[in-house]
Amino acid sequence: MQPICNICSEQIGEFVGCRECNFPICRSCLDYEVKEGITACMRCGAPYDGSLTKVDVAEKEAVILNTMADHFGNSQDAGLHARTISTVSTVDSEMIDESGNPIWKNRVESWKEKKNKKKKGGGGKVAKEVQIPIDQQMDEKQQSTEPNAMQPLSQIIPIPKSQITPYRVVIIIRLIILGLFFHYRITNPVESSYGLWLTSVICEIWFAISWVLDQFPKWYPINRITFTDELSARYEREGGPSELAAVDFFVSTVDPLKEPPLITANTVLSILAVDYPVEKVSCYVSDDGAAMLTFESLVETAEFARKWVPFCKRFSIEPRAPEYYFSQKIDYLKDKVQPSFVKERRAMKRDYEEYKVRVNALVAKAQKTPEEGWTMQDGTPWPGNNSRDHPGMIQVFLGHSGAHDLEGNELPRLVYVSREKRPGYQHHKKAGAENALVRVSAVLTNAPYFLNLDCDHYVNNSKAVREAMCFLMDPQVGNDVCYIQFPQRFDGIDRSDRYANRNTVFFDVNMKGLDGIQGPVYVGTGCVFYRQALYGYGPQSLPALPQPSSSSCCCGPKKPKKDLEEFKRDSRRDDLNAAIFNLKEIESYDEYERSLLISQMSFEKTFGMSSVFIESTLMENGGLAESANPATMINEAIHVISCGYEEKTAWGKEIGWIYGSVTEDILTGFKMHCRGWRSIYCMPIRPAFKGSAPINLSDRLHQVLRWALGSVEIFLSRHCPLWYGWGGGRLKLLQRLAYINTIVYPFTSLPLVAYCTLPAICLLTGKFIIPTLSNLAAVWFLGLFLSIITTSVLEIRWSGVSIEELWRNEQFWVIGGVSAHLFAVFQGFLKMLAGVDTNFTVTAKAGDDQEFGELYMIKWTTVLIPPTTLLVLNLVGVVAGFSDALNKGYEAWGPLFGKVFFAFWVILHLYPFLKGLMGRQNRTPTIVILWSVLLASVFSLVWVKIDPFVSKGESSLTQGCIAIDC
């Protein structure tokens, strides 16, 4: 076969290759390159002068094969997602080479050969060659022929100085005012109500610390824009195959009765119809409840996808989830010029309604389980009849070897996965299910990137994956990026967003601030991961390790110094602990360090006993091994989702989703940031994904309770950001403050409950927490209030959130703090001290068509008692305060003002809770009222007993007058 020049792609007459890397070019291209002033090899950078060698055509194929062997094997490693699999016989599902050794072990041995080459002088060039992915090499080749080939795929848009500078100045001013305010508060105690004063000061100090933790990570907010057209121009050239990286989609579901199959089906359909090359897309659905209903609905979904996907792509439909597309209240004829669109849309809507009838019939049938259990269509029992004791199940739909769409085109692969479950094994809930998907996808498709979605989060922007690839496939940006996080957006929320379900302040303010530091935290859904980062590998360029200090202490005995070699060795050990394997720097280790890596942290001990999976982890750019066998792959896929696979491995400890908390998302992102990776926040104009939020008050509080409980669990674990990850110095200080804030915020509930109780106590006892104000003290109080307001206004200015959204967030901070967060703190300590584990409850997803139907539902839960009690206490206190002022005369109204203002602050913040408690019919569960009135009465009687309203004697009246303007 005639060799091909890597520059002009023409057949080579006289073949010339670089001595360092055997880069093949023809003589005419070489002469042109030298004439243009390019005197170094485009692949390895070695100078052409004296480094060229002529190779005859017969030797050319061997040169190319040797070069590619240095690149981990085949073109699939370059991110080309293979859909066809070659067949090679295997023994016991092991990937064996001709000499009888597992292939991944040969890769490990090749590291030693590379070091030998390095010692001879040429190894450095080879190492450099290995580090450059093939897709980046193709970019470099075309840099000289296409002027725009290396244009950036994304751009950072900094916040204008006119907006960010005043914001930072006000933050510093507010910090100074806080210091002066606390100086006044601490040096001016209220002797007559010392307990109340001390409680209030402690609470205020904690609130100030919480503000610092929340505020300063927002010091460097940024915006980003992407250029998807440039991405297509670079990686999707006309007439050639697409060079975009492959992506595996993960969809997780547990209970089809709480998470309706129709919602999950819409998510799957939106993924199958995404605007991305079909051969690069695979969708994995994890059914952690092993429900036959989920499986049967997925069968119906796969059949309907054959109609829906071509319809979406032919008419550029948005969004591509049929339920949400057909429910849009827009003029669908606008901008549609195809004459057949109206007819086909009506036919498609009719087909979708028929599809819904079939799925809903399956749901109705599943309401009552037969005594003998479910049976499949062929009469065999359903393997998952016992959801806690069943084998692993995998079913592949569609794809290269499956059914095509109605137009005969290939569809993305759809895979149903239900991991094995057995009694006596810890399955780790959602985190364990996600790790099972990581392994099974690595065996079957092994895309270099994967995107995980909750079952109720559909793809709202069909170009969302392209948006993420603008960062991940950009050589100037994506080398050290572990994931791309998209903001969560929601449907079906009432216009006023009574319970702050949209979380706009968090997603549009806090996350933008983190994007300017080391990147946003992982929020559990709508995130595109780089697979290698989740395997525990370090980024290409790890931050510099700390150098040994040469200074000595003159105040005491000197500690024995470590020699330089010992210090470097210890640093390398820290490196290995932070990133299990770092392929980019493995060649720099000496023989001892390499043996430490391979023996003490062997691949089997880390990833489990699957040679197929281990082989996939060594492919930096994804793809399947040449030796992959279709028959063996399914068996291996079943093996990697077995319930005992993770035993004595690093899964859940150092790699994959990290176990130990119900909020495994925060923990997983934190571990990757500690290894030196960074993340990116992508906010396209059209929201990438949309989901459904629990707008019912009880469900919303239980959702917040679960998040807060996860934060408490992390706080009480070894992964607490207060002490974890300091050694490597890879986590930036402001990023650490943000993570500390995510795990300590539930503890704010304790001072918040106390602070919300103080107004009622002051009104009932006639005491107050603030002494008579001087003019200077009044300035500090006024300055503090003005700085709080100014900070909020400037934050609104640069972030774009509205005043109403900011106020709703403030209200729900109080509502959640005195209810769900309080319960989370106690449950977290009960779990740690007494071993009492709380059950993880799935948030029910709305399945009916009644808009805002859940908003007015009231469900009994103990979480409702504390905020209701606080409301009753403060209302009783206001009534008692006014009654007392009327009895005492005009001079009592001045002190009453501060106390009533304080009480109304609490009532206003709890007003959405009060409104939700009353419901549409203004009815509240009787038990909630009884418990709340009982607790409020007990507190009131206790304080009446301690300090009665009617003071005994004139002296008592004089001494009790300690309030403002008294």
Side-chain angles (χ1 to χ4, degrees):
M1 186 179 68
Q2 283 290 92
I4 302 298
C5 174
N6 274 276
I7 295 181
C8 64
S9 299
E10 298 290 338
Q11 292 184 351
I12 295 177
E14 182 181 6
F15 174 78
V16 181
C18 172
R19 277 182 184 169
E20 300 292 343
C21 66
N22 295 322
F23 184 69
I25 57 177
C26 63
R27 172 60 65 182
S28 58
C29 285
L30 175 63
D31 295 339
Y32 181 81
E33 295 290 303
V34 174
K35 184 178 178 181
E36 291 294 316
I38 301 175
T39 59
C41 175
M42 297 178 64
R43 174 181 286 170
C44 68
Y48 279 146
D49 186 23
S51 65
L52 298 179
T53 179
K54 292 185 180 180
V55 182
D56 53 302
V57 174
E59 299 174 5
K60 199 270 177 180
E61 286 190 57
V63 173
I64 295 298
L65 290 176
N66 290 335
T67 303
M68 294 306 293
D70 291 336
H71 279 283
F72 287 159
N74 52 43
S75 63
Q76 292 172 353
D77 289 341
L80 300 180
H81 192 39
R83 309 298 294 193
T84 58
I85 304 163
S86 60
T87 58
V88 175
S89 62
T90 59
V91 180
D92 294 332
S93 73
E94 292 279 337
M95 299 174 61
I96 307 298
D97 66 358
E98 295 179 357
S99 61
N101 294 321
I103 293 176
W104 67 267
K105 289 187 177 179
N106 293 340
R107 294 187 187 278
V108 174
E109 293 297 327
S110 69
W111 292 337
K112 296 182 179 180
E113 296 177 7
K114 290 175 185 176
K115 184 171 182 179
N116 293 334
K117 292 180 182 179
K118 197 174 182 180
K119 290 179 179 178
K120 294 178 181 178
K125 305 301 180 181
V126 176
K128 183 174 181 181
E129 175 191 325
V130 173
Q131 291 182 3
I132 304 176
I134 296 177
D135 53 1
Q136 294 183 25
Q137 294 176 20
M138 297 183 69
D139 290 336
E140 294 173 1
K141 283 193 300 181
Q142 307 220 353
Q143 187 174 5
S144 59
T145 57
E146 297 184 18
N148 297 325
M150 294 307 293
Q151 291 295 320
L153 300 179
S154 63
Q155 183 179 348
I156 294 177
I157 306 297
I159 305 296
K161 290 186 177 179
S162 59
Q163 296 178 2
I164 196 64
T165 302
Y167 178 67
R168 291 171 177 168
V169 170
V170 171
I171 290 174
I172 299 300
I173 293 175
R174 181 174 172 181
L175 196 62
I176 296 171
I177 293 176
L178 267 176
L180 297 171
F181 169 80
F182 283 120
H183 178 267
Y184 167 78
R185 291 284 282 134
I186 294 172
T187 56
N188 290 271
V190 181
E191 299 296 341
S192 58
S193 55
Y194 190 83
L196 296 180
W197 167 82
L198 182 61
T199 302
S200 66
V201 170
I202 293 173
C203 293
E204 288 162 3
I205 291 175
W206 179 265
F207 295 152
I209 294 172
S210 299
W211 172 76
V212 169
L213 293 175
D214 179 70
Q215 188 69 66
F216 279 89
K218 296 183 282 190
W219 191 261
Y220 299 104
I222 60 172
N223 293 308
R224 296 180 188 267
I225 57 173
T226 55
F227 307 112
T228 54
D229 293 338
E230 181 63 31
L231 178 77
S232 298
R234 185 182 300 186
Y235 294 104
E236 293 183 297
R237 295 179 177 84
E238 189 175 355
S242 173
E243 297 170 7
L244 291 172
V247 180
D248 291 336
F249 287 77
F250 296 167
V251 180
S252 56
T253 182
V254 180
D255 187 349
L257 299 181
K258 290 185 177 180
E259 301 167 325
L262 197 60
I263 290 181
T264 304
N266 271 271
T267 300
V268 171
L269 288 169
S270 68
I271 292 172
L272 298 178
V274 73
D275 183 8
Y276 208 70
V278 292
E279 70 275 9
K280 309 286 186 179
V281 176
S282 298
C283 178
Y284 293 82
V285 179
S286 170
D287 177 18
D288 218 31
M292 186 173 166
L293 172 59
T294 303
F295 178 81
E296 289 186 333
S297 65
L298 208 60
V299 174
E300 294 286 351
T301 302
E303 183 62 28
F304 179 70
R306 299 176 62 223
K307 304 175 184 178
W308 175 250
V309 173
F311 171 75
C312 290
K313 294 187 175 181
R314 191 183 315 120
F315 299 110
S316 301
I317 298 300
E318 294 285 0
R320 298 188 177 182
E323 182 69 27
Y324 303 95
Y325 169 69
F326 290 122
S327 63
Q328 290 181 116
K329 297 178 181 179
I330 60 173
D331 182 9
Y332 64 88
L333 298 177
K334 186 178 180 181
D335 300 328
K336 298 297 180 183
V337 295
Q338 297 95 327
S340 62
F341 172 69
V342 176
K343 182 178 179 181
E344 292 198 33
R345 185 186 185 277
R346 290 173 180 170
M348 184 54 61
K349 188 173 183 179
R350 185 168 57 252
D351 289 339
Y352 177 64
E353 293 297 331
E354 294 173 356
Y355 162 74
K356 284 176 64 176
V357 170
R358 294 194 298 271
V359 173
N360 289 331
L362 294 174
V363 175
K365 178 183 175 183
Q367 297 299 319
K368 186 177 180 181
T369 305
E371 293 182 2
E372 66 278 5
W374 298 106
T375 57
M376 295 185 288
Q377 292 183 354
D378 60 358
T380 58
W382 172 246
N385 276 322
N386 186 345
S387 61
R388 297 182 180 180
D389 186 4
H390 64 85
M393 295 178 284
I394 295 177
Q395 176 65 48
V396 181
F397 303 95
L398 308 176
H400 175 74
S401 58
H404 291 188
D405 65 24
L406 294 183
E407 298 178 357
N409 299 319
E410 184 180 343
L411 288 169
R413 182 176 297 177
L414 176 61
V415 184
Y416 169 87
V417 179
S418 182
R419 59 183 173 140
E420 182 186 16
K421 286 190 176 181
R422 301 296 181 190
Y425 286 90
Q426 176 60 264
H427 298 104
H428 302 290
K429 300 173 183 175
K430 181 181 176 180
E434 294 287 353
N435 283 336
L437 286 182
V438 172
R439 295 191 296 271
V440 73
S441 64
V443 171
L444 296 180
T445 50
N446 197 33
Y449 306 103
F450 56 81
L451 191 159
N452 82 296
L453 291 171
D454 288 344
C455 65
D456 63 323
H457 273 72
Y458 65 91
V459 181
N460 183 65
N461 183 347
S462 61
K463 295 184 182 294
V465 182
R466 295 178 181 270
E467 299 273 354
M469 290 303 144
C470 286
F471 301 106
L472 293 170
M473 296 190 70
D474 190 342
Q476 302 175 9
V477 177
N479 290 333
D480 58 349
V481 174
C482 56
Y483 61 81
I484 308 296
Q485 179 65 62
F486 291 87
Q488 290 187 27
R489 303 299 187 210
F490 300 97
D491 288 319
I493 297 177
D494 61 304
R495 184 174 300 176
S496 63
D497 193 12
R498 183 186 294 178
Y499 308 124
N501 278 285
R502 292 190 177 93
N503 285 330
T504 312
V505 173
F506 174 75
F507 286 114
D508 290 11
V509 181
N510 296 58
M511 297 286 267
K512 280 185 181 179
L514 291 176
D515 199 17
I517 310 172
Q518 201 171 341
V521 298
Y522 169 44
V523 296
T525 184
C527 187
V528 183
F529 282 94
Y530 178 40
R531 189 182 286 269
Q532 294 285 311
L534 210 67
Y535 286 161
Y537 293 105
Q540 292 186 6
S541 55
L542 289 172
L545 293 168
Q547 297 298 322
S549 175
S550 59
S551 60
S552 61
C553 178
C554 59
C555 302
K558 296 182 180 180
K559 294 182 179 179
K561 288 186 178 180
K562 297 180 179 179
D563 58 21
L564 186 60
E565 289 300 321
E566 186 180 357
F567 180 87
K568 288 184 177 179
R569 182 163 294 175
D570 289 343
S571 298
R572 290 296 188 188
R573 285 198 185 96
D574 292 339
D575 227 11
L576 297 178
N577 290 332
I580 296 176
F581 303 114
N582 185 16
L583 295 181
K584 295 296 180 183
E585 296 184 355
I586 192 71
E587 288 128 0
S588 64
Y589 297 143
D590 60 23
E591 294 297 334
Y592 171 80
E593 292 158 351
R594 189 179 292 107
S595 64
L596 179 71
L597 170 66
I598 297 173
S599 62
Q600 295 183 5
M601 294 182 138
S602 63
F603 284 95
E604 294 98 336
K605 186 177 180 181
T606 302
F607 295 114
M609 299 300 292
S610 170
S611 293
V612 177
F613 178 73
I614 291 174
E615 174 72 1
S616 71
T617 65
L618 294 171
M619 297 178 180
E620 280 186 71
N621 299 292
L624 297 173
E626 289 181 344
S627 56
N629 184 310
T632 305
M633 285 171 57
I634 293 296
N635 293 331
E636 200 68 21
I638 292 292
H639 171 55
V640 298
I641 61 172
S642 60
C643 56
Y645 183 83
E646 295 182 354
E647 286 192 349
K648 298 181 180 180
T649 67
W651 284 101
K653 304 179 186 72
E654 298 297 333
I655 63 174
W657 269 258
I658 306 301
Y659 304 149
S661 170
V662 295
T663 53
E664 68 287 330
D665 44 7
I666 297 293
L667 203 51
T668 303
F670 174 64
K671 290 280 285 188
M672 285 188 279
H673 281 138
C674 286
R675 294 190 189 111
W677 292 97
R678 66 188 181 96
S679 55
I680 286 178
Y681 198 48
C682 183
M683 296 181 66
I685 296 175
R686 180 180 179 84
F689 310 100
K690 280 190 175 183
S692 55
I695 60 176
N696 172 265
L697 175 61
S698 304
D699 288 343
R700 171 66 167 149
L701 288 177
H702 273 288
Q703 182 187 59
V704 175
L705 170 62
R706 186 175 72 249
W707 295 342
L709 177 60
S711 295
V712 175
E713 289 173 342
I714 296 173
F715 177 81
L716 299 174
S717 72
R718 72 181 185 92
H719 290 117
C720 178
L722 286 169
W723 51 75
Y724 183 85
W726 286 96
R730 300 184 181 98
L731 192 67
K732 296 184 178 179
L733 178 60
L734 292 182
Q735 191 81 12
R736 185 177 294 277
L737 287 182
Y739 274 111
I740 291 174
N741 187 45
T742 62
I743 58 104
V744 301
Y745 78 89
F747 296 96
T748 305
S749 60
L750 299 174
L752 189 59
V753 169
Y755 210 70
C756 290
T757 310
L758 287 176
I761 295 175
C762 292
L763 287 166
L764 291 171
T765 61
K767 298 179 179 181
F768 202 42
I769 59 175
I770 301 173
T772 304
L773 290 179
S774 63
N775 292 334
L776 184 60
V779 171
W780 300 143
F781 274 85
L782 183 62
L784 183 60
F785 280 112
L786 289 178
S787 65
I788 292 172
I789 295 172
T790 307
T791 305
S792 301
V793 170
L794 293 175
E795 203 166 81
I796 289 171
R797 188 182 174 202
W798 66 256
S799 66
V801 301
S802 65
I803 296 177
E804 183 182 18
E805 290 169 332
L806 200 67
W807 172 237
R808 290 299 187 200
N809 181 77
E810 181 74 13
Q811 285 180 312
F812 199 78
W813 173 72
V814 175
I815 295 171
V818 300
S819 57
H821 298 173
L822 183 67
F823 276 74
V825 171
F826 286 109
Q827 288 183 15
F829 277 99
L830 278 175
K831 183 176 181 180
M832 182 192 72
L833 299 176
V836 179
D837 194 3
T838 53
N839 291 325
F840 171 80
T841 56
V842 179
T843 305
K845 309 299 188 296
D848 55 9
D849 298 327
Q850 183 182 359
E851 190 174 19
F852 312 138
E854 289 191 356
L855 182 63
Y856 307 102
M857 293 174 60
I858 295 295
K859 300 177 182 178
W860 157 245
T861 172
T862 52
V863 179
L864 300 176
I865 293 177
T868 308
T869 303
L870 289 174
L871 270 171
V872 174
L873 271 176
N874 281 276
L875 290 172
V876 170
V878 169
V879 173
F882 275 103
S883 300
D884 191 46
L886 288 172
N887 292 331
K888 291 183 178 179
Y890 175 77
E891 58 276 355
W893 287 94
L896 179 66
F897 173 76
K899 303 172 189 176
V900 171
F901 175 81
F902 198 10
F904 273 118
W905 179 90
V906 176
I907 295 171
L908 281 176
H909 278 78
L910 293 176
Y911 176 71
F913 174 83
L914 177 62
K915 197 172 181 180
L917 200 64
M918 303 307 292
R920 185 194 293 265
Q921 294 82 16
N922 292 336
R923 293 178 182 174
T924 304
T926 306
I927 192 169
V928 174
I929 298 176
L930 290 176
W931 271 103
S932 303
V933 172
L934 178 62
L935 290 174
S937 302
V938 169
F939 289 139
S940 301
L941 290 173
V942 168
W943 280 102
V944 167
K945 181 67 176 175
I946 294 173
D947 193 351
F949 294 121
V950 181
S951 301
K952 299 177 182 179
E954 198 70 21
S955 59
S956 298
L957 281 173
T958 306
Q959 293 177 1
C961 187
I962 46 86
I964 301 174
D965 298 329
C966 185

